[in-house]
Amino acid sequence: MGAVNEVFDVLVIGGGPVGGYTAQKVAEAGRDVAILEEHREIGEPVQCGGIFTPRVMDMVDCRNTILTDIHGCEFYSPSGRELVVDGGETEAVVVDRAAFDREVVKGALHAGATVYLGTLATGVERDGGDLIVHARGNGEAETFRCKVLVGTDGVKGNVTGWFGLGRPYRILPGFEADVVGAEYTSGYVKVFTGQAVAPGFFAWLVPGARTARAGLCLGQGNARPYLNRMFTDGPPSRFLANAQTLGYITGGIPIGVAKRTYDNGVMIAGDAAFQAKATSGGGIFTGLVCAEACARTAVEALNAGDTSAAFLSRYETRWKKAIGKELSLYLYLHRAFVKLSDPQLENLFMLLQNPRLLRIINQQGDIDYPGRAILALLKEEPRLLKFLGPALRAVF
Ligand SMILES: Cc1cc2nc3c(=O)[nH]c(=O)nc-3n(C[C@H](O)[C@H](O)[C@H](O)COP(=O)(O)OP(=O)(O)OC[C@H]3O[C@@H](n4cnc5c(N)ncnc54)[C@H](O)[C@@H]3O)c2cc1C
């Protein structure tokens, strides 16, 4: 095993928002916690559109990273038919994602956590009840001992793999461009649908501060040609014809249901546990909710002197109670959505154009908890069942 350099109660692998928030909560409870982050800078490279609901700001003080507020969405059908949804108040915010990640990790450091930058976790072994994590930090081999290991290493999910905690149902490939010169309506996100635009998911145009982010995810395959096409063909090109690109962002969003999110002395959270929403790809709010449950469970386990899988299973009970039903609903909605052909999408747009339905969406729509609005929509317009039926039957 070799000499162990550092010893912590909790070791968090991955210094993204979920790892940072987990570490903050553990440190606030007075436990020794460290984050290992493979990159030399928190927040880089950016792999995200940086849009989430204001609920996140109740958890992380990140108002200084907000680029703009969002209160509505302009949806486009494959043929370019427009459907405007407007909640009338701030429904979401767009943040500078790199700055946001740094704010989260700053919170952890202020609470007393330690961060090791440029430190890639490469393997793990058990030693009695402890875990020994092997890493490479700035070219040197390092080892860390801990009682509880938390895997928040994102889409790579090394910890998930090391402990056989499952594989994602799918990793949605995403590609985005930061652009100047796009036409957008301030306060609105544009969402584009259709096989030619983004098969298996959707494309978007998100306003920022003097810039915008054009991007998309696919069900599978190479997203780059579809991003290029947004500038030249179909409904997105109407808004991007004069846009110039400042830079690109690429990444994958793992969706699905983890086999388990704990093992003896181990928990996984965030993208490592496929906790992003399968409908929108948003993983920050859901990841932070799970991080809170994870940190609480880690601290309780340490206090009880019991880090067994049986004890840590309460983490899974907690996050499922908080957000599990929604995550399942998102996954089934995703599965139902990807089956829709372009003509079916056009029909869906036509149905939703009904002012009564739009009123329900505007008044009851909640990006984080969509179940209530969906049920109200179905009650008002049972023909929607044709599109959502399989998803809802599976969940309820
Ligand atoms: C194109 C795209 C757009 C998106 N847009 C949005 C959006 O608008 N809103 C939203 O809410 N979500 C969005 N997401 C999803 C969101 O980015 C993720 O859900 C979120 O980043 C998950 O946070 P995390 O902390 O779990 O993982 P990450 O943010 O991925 O952090 C994981 C960290 O672990 C580190 N790491 C990995 N392996 C190791 C290792 N072996 N050792 C040490 N460190 C390691 C990585 O370097 C990384 O810093 C988007 C994703 C993509 C791909």
Side-chain angles (χ1 to χ4, degrees):
M1 182 192 307
V4 172
N5 305 76
E6 305 289 349
V7 181
F8 292 94
D9 293 328
V10 178
L11 197 62
V12 178
I13 298 184
V18 178
Y21 196 58
T22 306
Q24 178 189 328
K25 292 290 157 193
V26 171
E28 280 172 354
R31 288 291 176 173
D32 281 340
V33 52
I35 303 169
L36 307 189
E37 169 53 49
E38 65 171 311
H39 293 105
R40 286 170 195 276
E41 202 176 339
I42 296 294
E44 302 290 347
V46 174
Q47 294 178 310
C48 168
I51 179 164
F52 48 65
T53 59
R55 280 191 189 95
V56 168
M57 288 181 295
D58 297 335
M59 305 164 100
V60 178
D61 184 7
C62 60
R63 279 170 185 80
N64 57 334
T65 69
I66 296 176
L67 302 176
T68 191
D69 289 346
I70 299 295
H71 54 85
C73 183
E74 297 161 332
F75 291 96
Y76 293 87
S77 76
S79 70
R81 183 188 297 273
E82 194 187 34
L83 182 76
V84 182
V85 169
D86 191 340
E89 55 191 39
T90 299
E91 296 285 327
V93 292
V94 182
V95 297
D96 173 337
R97 175 62 201 268
F100 171 76
D101 283 21
R102 283 196 288 275
E103 283 307 313
V104 182
V105 174
K106 225 190 265 178
L109 299 188
H110 277 300
T114 306
V115 65
Y116 292 84
L117 295 177
T119 304
L120 174 77
T122 52
V124 66
E125 62 184 303
R126 292 189 185 279
D127 183 33
D130 291 357
L131 290 130
I132 309 292
V133 172
H134 299 277
R136 288 206 73 76
N138 305 309
E140 304 280 322
E142 294 188 39
T143 47
F144 298 83
R145 177 185 288 270
C146 63
K147 298 260 174 248
V148 177
L149 175 66
V150 179
T152 55
D153 47 348
V155 65
K156 276 167 67 180
N158 285 317
V159 179
T160 311
W162 291 337
F163 293 93
L165 299 178
R167 296 165 70 84
Y169 161 68
R170 196 161 272 174
I171 296 179
L172 308 173
F175 217 93
E176 292 187 300
D178 258 331
V179 297
V180 171
E183 281 179 41
Y184 56 81
T185 324
S186 184
Y188 287 86
V189 169
K190 292 183 192 297
V191 167
F192 306 95
T193 60
Q195 292 300 319
V197 176
F201 213 69
F202 58 83
W204 57 82
L205 182 62
V206 176
R210 298 180 66 221
T211 59
R213 193 160 280 173
L216 55 87
C217 272
L218 302 181
Q220 56 192 352
N222 182 1
R224 178 70 192 249
Y226 286 91
L227 181 71
N228 292 344
R229 211 172 295 152
M230 283 180 76
F231 292 78
T232 54
D233 296 308
S237 65
R238 281 175 19 211
F239 310 99
L240 290 167
N242 298 316
Q244 294 206 56
T245 301
L246 289 170
Y248 294 100
I249 290 167
T250 177
I253 303 176
I255 59 167
V257 181
K259 199 164 88 188
R260 252 181 317 122
T261 51
Y262 60 91
D263 197 351
N264 288 311
V266 177
M267 288 177 279
I268 52 171
D271 275 11
F274 331 139
Q275 286 162 341
K277 303 170 191 169
T279 40
S280 66
I284 293 174
F285 171 68
T286 50
L288 295 184
V289 168
C290 298
E292 204 151 23
C294 178
R296 191 173 149 204
T297 307
V299 171
E300 285 175 0
L302 291 165
N303 291 345
D306 181 359
T307 58
S308 67
F311 194 99
L312 297 183
S313 68
R314 64 173 71 177
Y315 159 57
E316 192 161 292
T317 309
R318 277 182 179 139
W319 76 254
K320 283 195 168 164
K321 188 167 173 219
I323 201 94
K325 207 166 165 188
E326 280 74 20
L327 287 181
S328 302
L329 176 62
Y330 294 133
L331 190 59
Y332 286 112
L333 287 175
H334 169 83
R335 285 175 169 168
F337 177 77
V338 299
K339 288 201 184 107
L340 296 181
S341 63
D342 282 359
Q344 284 173 317
L345 275 170
E346 297 291 347
N347 281 340
L348 182 59
F349 269 74
M350 277 197 290
L351 268 185
L352 289 173
Q353 224 110 33
N354 176 336
R356 289 195 324 273
L357 300 185
L358 277 177
R359 202 172 319 119
I360 291 173
I361 300 174
N362 290 338
Q363 288 173 355
Q364 299 187 34
D366 183 331
I367 303 169
D368 293 325
Y369 299 98
R372 203 165 63 107
I374 290 173
L375 285 177
L377 285 171
L378 284 170
K379 214 166 143 198
E380 183 67 36
E381 177 50 275
R383 279 181 295 172
L384 284 171
L385 258 178
K386 198 167 60 183
F387 303 99
L388 300 178
L392 290 173
R393 271 198 299 279
V395 177
F396 298 107

